[in-house]
Amino acid sequence: MQVGLEVFLGLAAVLFSLGLYGAISKRSAVMVLMSLELMAVSVNINLVAFSRFLTPEVMTGQFFAIFTMVVSAAEIGLGLALVLAIYRQSRSIELAGLNRLKG
Amino acid sequence: MGYIAVIPLLPALAFAVLVPLSREWRNRMLWIAGAAMGGSLVLSVMAFFATWPGGHAEHPVWHATFPLAEIGGKPLEMGLMLDPISAAMLHLIPIVGKCVQVNSLGYMHRDERVGWYYAALSLFTAAMLLLVLADNFLLLYMAWEVMGLCSYLLIGFWHEQEAPRKASQKAFLTTRVGDVGFAIGLFAMYQAAGTFSFEGVLGSVASWAPGAATLVALMLLFGAMGKSAQVPLHVWLPDAMAGPTPASALIHAATMVAAGVYLVARAMPIFEVSGTALTVTLWVGAITAMVGGLLAAVQHDIKKVLAYSTISQLGYMFIALGAGSVVAAMFHLVTHAFFKSLLFLGAGVIIHASHTQDMREMGGLAKHLKITTVTFTVGSLALAGVFPFSGFWSKDEILAVLLHEQQYGVFAIALIAAFITAFYVARLWFRVFVGPEQTDELHEAHNTMLVPMVLLASITSVIGIGGYWFAEFLGHEGAWPAPVVYLPSLVAAGAGLALSWWAYGRLNIVLNTRPLKQRAGYIYGMLSRKLYFDLTYDTFIIRPFMRLALVFAVFDFKRIDGAVNGVARSWRDLSESGWTFDRRVIDGAVNASATGAKALGSRLRRIQGGRVQAYQRYVVGAVVLLMLWTVVKGA
């Protein structure tokens, strides 16, 4: 059987949805960061899949995916640093407690 | 000579300054009125000497006029003028006014509204000064009306009491009857002459339409009769005694009552053209002189005796005017002003000392009130017409004029009136100053009350001799009294005094009215009821008027008040429904928008919970919705 573009897009959509769900519903900041990473990964899959199937002769999509990975690695580093800083402040990484900006 | 305009202005200013002050301040600022009067006195004496030695009345020594308005193409001019007749009156008013002011210091010092009293006195004087300085009949009429108001204020000064209140209304309304006549006279005068100025009116009177002069003269006379208390409009003057006594002196001497005489004297050319009016004036004066004298003879109230005597003496002045002699009338006016104000101030002292106005409760004052007795005696003798006091000279001048005009009937009446005058004056004198004392603690008045009296008494003693020059001052030939005149006059006066002594003076007992009452009960009854004048007015005028007024009052109450109230009620209903609309609809809308905004806000604030994930959910929800919308729309 021929594995087509739709399969990759479907996998990416499933991963994105899982990530989105985790980002919305998890209480721990670390879990939310992991979910965000999941969403980033799903996007990478999309990029690579589009690159492979739609423009096989140029490598634009794959380069983009590598850029995205670098950026998300930096992002996760920053996010974890923030989580650590929050933890030092309030001895908790529960997102529900971080509501000081409410109106 | 512009300072003449200041003469009436000063007391008027004093009034204007005193009126807005509070009562306490007004009572402390009496010196303002005093200073104003003093200023007027000095200026008017200056004006008098500036006029000296007089001359012809048609040539004023000073005349200032300015156009006030234009009526029907003709200018309406107002102005002041000084001529011998004005000057003769002018110096008199502040002299008497000043005396009254000084005397009032003693008489009124305990009254808590003394400041207001002085203010009214000042306005009164100002009005009279303006009246004698006016150069036209209209301004004269205005001042005349202001005086009516002031007399009302002064007579009703003690308005807490019933009698002064009623008397002030009576005075105001009675003189108003005369004023209506005056006003009609003014209209007729304008119709005939087309101007109000003395110059224009008196200069053109000879060329008026036939009858016009008579009409104008009679109407002016009617006004003068009201102001100068001539029969039958004399009824207000005796009642006017309810006012403060020094104010009575002013009303009776220099101001109010003199105005009528002055008016007729001013308008004399109109009367002369008419002829009829002269005769009417003559007989009005004669009747008044008789009636006033007779009524004075039966009064028990010392002030009422003097009031009726004023009426009688004013009658004399009208007799003189009726005989065509301005000089005699004005001379008697001047002498009368001095001795009558003296008598009134004296009466004030007597009342002050004995705490009553009833002569039956007085007696023996001569021993205790020496200065008052002397000055009052001078005034009484002047009133009785005894040589050499002023009344003798002026009365003789009137009698001489009557003889010269061959008015023998009126001459006889005047003689009888002189006899009666002497009788009642002596009656008053004997009752008050001799006889047994009836009051304890009689004491002489304070000097402030006595000094003006001494001054007036000395004027009264010497002024009579000036009659000769007074006539020349007014532009007529002076004359000394002739024996044919002064002998009967002195005999009449002597007889009156003697009769009075026989009836009241020779018996050193408590006197009452019994002799006259017993011997002539009918006449006495008639006289003591004031010859039924008041009764007649009451029955034929006042009561029907009251009944009519009641009918109108009922109509007013039911119909007019009803209509007014109906309009008011419907307005109230209308505004009430307006209020309801305002409250329900307009306020309701405003409140509803406020509560709506509040409710919306309290809902919306829940969205901003501060929880990042919640925001994220909204974003996701919104994105999903947008995507759905795009998909559906795209399909």
Side-chain angles (χ1 to χ4, degrees):
Chain A
M1 96 185 224
Q2 180 74 29
V3 177
L5 177 62
E6 297 84 1
V7 177
F8 290 96
L9 293 185
L11 174 65
V14 169
L15 281 178
F16 187 86
S17 301
L18 285 171
L20 187 61
Y21 170 73
I24 290 173
S25 58
K26 287 297 155 188
R27 308 181 68 177
S28 161
V30 178
M31 292 299 278
V32 171
L33 282 176
M34 286 165 72
S35 306
L36 290 177
E37 206 52 33
L38 207 53
M39 285 195 283
V41 166
S42 76
V43 171
N44 283 348
I45 290 172
N46 269 8
L47 288 170
V48 173
F50 280 127
S51 174
R52 172 69 182 78
F53 285 99
L54 295 182
T55 55
E57 62 277 10
V58 288
M59 302 290 279
T60 320
Q62 302 189 17
F63 278 115
F64 255 105
I66 288 166
F67 273 121
T68 312
M69 268 189 264
V70 173
V71 170
S72 64
E75 174 215 319
I76 210 78
L78 190 64
L80 280 173
L82 277 174
V83 169
L84 274 176
I86 290 167
Y87 181 74
R88 283 205 195 106
Q89 285 259 304
S90 57
R91 295 275 139 199
S92 162
I93 50 169
E94 293 278 304
L95 285 175
L98 300 176
N99 60 354
R100 259 183 281 169
L101 285 176
K102 77 172 176 183
Chain B
M1 303 223 9
Y3 65 84
I4 287 162
V6 181
I7 297 174
L9 196 63
L10 280 175
L13 278 179
F15 174 78
V17 169
L18 283 174
V19 160
L21 295 177
S22 70
R23 179 180 290 180
E24 288 75 24
W25 272 103
R26 206 152 53 200
N27 290 353
R28 265 181 257 162
M29 303 291 260
L30 299 183
W31 58 269
I32 292 180
M37 189 76 85
S40 290
L41 176 59
V42 172
L43 292 178
S44 60
V45 170
M46 274 167 66
F48 181 76
F49 282 111
T51 319
W52 191 263
H56 220 257
E58 273 91 74
H59 300 293
V61 293
W62 180 76
H63 189 182
T65 183
F66 66 95
L68 193 71
E70 201 167 277
I71 298 174
K74 288 177 189 167
L76 180 65
E77 291 187 325
M78 287 284 157
L80 300 180
M81 166 182 112
L82 182 73
D83 67 1
I85 297 183
S86 301
M89 293 282 288
L90 190 63
H91 72 286
L92 169 82
I93 299 157
I95 291 177
V96 175
K98 193 70 203 169
C99 288
V100 166
Q101 265 193 344
V102 175
N103 183 274
S104 301
L105 282 180
Y107 193 82
M108 303 291 289
H109 71 283
R110 282 202 206 109
D111 199 286
E112 57 180 10
R113 288 190 295 128
V114 61
W116 172 242
Y117 170 79
Y118 272 83
L121 220 56
S122 297
L123 184 63
F124 204 168
T125 319
M128 187 65 193
L129 288 167
L130 182 64
L131 185 138
V132 298
L133 283 175
D135 81 331
N136 62 68
F137 283 100
L138 194 63
L139 187 59
L140 191 152
Y141 184 63
M142 289 174 185
W144 178 280
E145 292 295 332
V146 175
M147 269 204 304
L149 169 72
C150 292
S151 67
Y152 170 79
L153 291 175
L154 284 173
I155 293 166
F157 181 70
W158 288 310
H159 53 72
E160 308 84 13
Q161 298 162 28
E162 178 80 13
R165 205 166 53 227
K166 287 209 155 168
S168 63
Q169 287 166 7
K170 190 171 178 181
F172 194 71
L173 292 176
T174 313
T175 51
R176 189 54 16 105
V177 173
D179 293 349
V180 172
F182 191 174
I184 295 171
L186 282 181
F187 302 151
M189 176 193 294
Y190 196 79
Q191 180 76 25
T195 175
F196 286 120
S197 75
F198 291 151
E199 225 178 333
V201 171
L202 303 182
S204 70
V205 66
S207 58
W208 287 2
T214 306
L215 175 69
V216 172
L218 286 179
M219 284 298 139
L220 293 185
L221 175 66
F222 195 62
M225 281 161 67
K227 213 65 159 181
S228 290
Q230 297 296 295
V231 173
L233 295 179
H234 66 285
V235 289
W236 65 270
L237 201 127
D239 288 19
M241 293 299 108
T245 309
S248 303
L250 193 63
I251 292 173
H252 285 245
T255 55
M256 192 81 172
V257 296
V261 179
Y262 176 77
L263 172 66
V264 177
R266 242 322 154 208
M268 188 44 83
I270 308 178
F271 284 73
E272 274 167 354
V273 168
S274 163
T276 320
L278 271 186
T279 317
V280 173
T281 312
L282 184 70
W283 282 101
V284 164
I287 293 168
T288 306
M290 271 310 273
V291 167
L294 283 172
L295 293 180
V298 295
Q299 296 298 318
H300 296 301
D301 184 326
I302 180 169
K303 284 180 76 182
K304 289 215 167 160
V305 174
L306 294 176
Y308 279 113
S309 115
T310 303
I311 294 174
S312 167
Q313 297 303 309
L314 288 167
Y316 260 103
M317 295 172 210
F318 272 70
I319 290 176
L321 291 168
S325 171
V326 172
V327 175
M330 292 299 290
F331 188 42
H332 196 54
L333 176 64
V334 171
T335 58
H336 172 257
F338 285 124
F339 68 68
K340 188 51 67 69
S341 53
L342 165 64
L343 287 175
F344 266 108
L345 296 183
V349 172
I350 291 165
I351 294 166
H352 209 65
S354 53
H355 303 294
T356 176
Q357 304 197 5
D358 195 327
M359 293 194 297
R360 284 170 294 191
E361 295 168 21
M362 297 176 186
L365 265 60
K367 280 180 214 151
H368 301 277
L369 281 68
K370 295 226 162 55
I371 300 175
T372 309
T373 309
V374 172
T375 51
F376 201 89
T377 309
V378 169
S380 304
L381 290 176
L383 177 57
V386 172
F387 184 84
F389 301 106
S390 60
F392 165 79
W393 301 87
S394 54
K395 211 174 273 186
D396 274 7
E397 203 161 315
I398 294 173
L399 292 172
V401 167
L402 288 174
L403 267 193
H404 183 256
E405 298 285 322
Q406 300 178 331
Q407 295 282 2
Y408 300 113
V410 180
F411 180 79
I413 291 178
L415 270 187
I416 297 169
F419 163 74
I420 298 170
T421 305
F423 172 76
Y424 68 69
V425 167
R427 170 176 174 267
L428 187 155
W429 196 88
F430 283 127
R431 284 182 146 194
V432 172
F433 290 107
V434 298
E437 292 168 36
Q438 298 199 30
T439 328
D440 301 330
E441 298 172 18
L442 287 168
H443 56 89
E444 183 64 290
H446 195 261
N447 275 343
T448 50
M449 294 174 80
L450 294 177
V451 168
M453 290 166 58
V454 172
L455 177 70
L456 289 170
S458 32
I459 294 176
T460 300
S461 307
V462 298
I463 197 176
I465 302 164
Y468 183 86
W469 295 283
F470 188 81
E472 295 203 324
F473 180 66
L474 292 185
H476 290 260
E477 243 174 68
W480 297 102
V484 67
V485 176
Y486 70 70
L487 283 180
S489 155
L490 281 177
V491 167
L497 294 176
L499 179 67
S500 192
W501 173 80
W502 181 77
Y504 300 102
R506 75 196 157 111
L507 309 165
N508 200 10
I509 53 168
V510 180
L511 293 161
N512 54 32
T513 52
R514 209 161 287 143
L516 184 60
K517 215 186 235 171
Q518 277 170 350
R519 278 172 213 165
Y522 178 69
I523 295 175
Y524 182 82
M526 222 163 76
L527 289 179
S528 63
R529 286 181 192 82
K530 309 180 213 166
L531 289 174
Y532 305 109
F533 273 111
D534 277 334
L535 194 66
T536 314
Y537 290 153
D538 197 45
T539 315
F540 290 106
I541 297 173
I542 296 171
R543 281 211 211 127
F545 196 77
M546 289 300 236
R547 245 174 272 140
L548 190 66
L550 191 67
V551 172
F552 279 129
V554 170
F555 176 80
D556 203 32
F557 186 73
K558 282 202 179 147
R559 297 279 173 275
I560 299 187
D561 281 16
V564 170
N565 287 344
V567 170
R569 210 173 295 130
S570 50
W571 267 112
R572 198 190 58 193
D573 293 348
L574 187 64
S575 46
E576 216 156 67
S577 54
W579 180 65
T580 312
F581 175 81
D582 206 30
R583 201 176 42 139
R584 293 257 167 85
V585 179
I586 298 185
D587 283 14
V590 172
N591 288 343
S593 64
T595 45
K598 193 178 164 194
L600 190 64
S602 68
R603 297 258 164 78
L604 284 177
R605 70 186 287 233
R606 273 198 226 148
I607 297 174
Q608 266 186 302
R611 290 163 64 184
V612 183
Q613 285 174 310
Y615 298 156
Q616 215 171 358
R617 269 174 227 152
Y618 303 143
V619 173
V620 172
V623 169
V624 168
L625 282 176
L626 276 174
M627 278 169 64
L628 269 178
W629 187 60
T630 318
V631 169
V632 170
K633 203 186 159 204

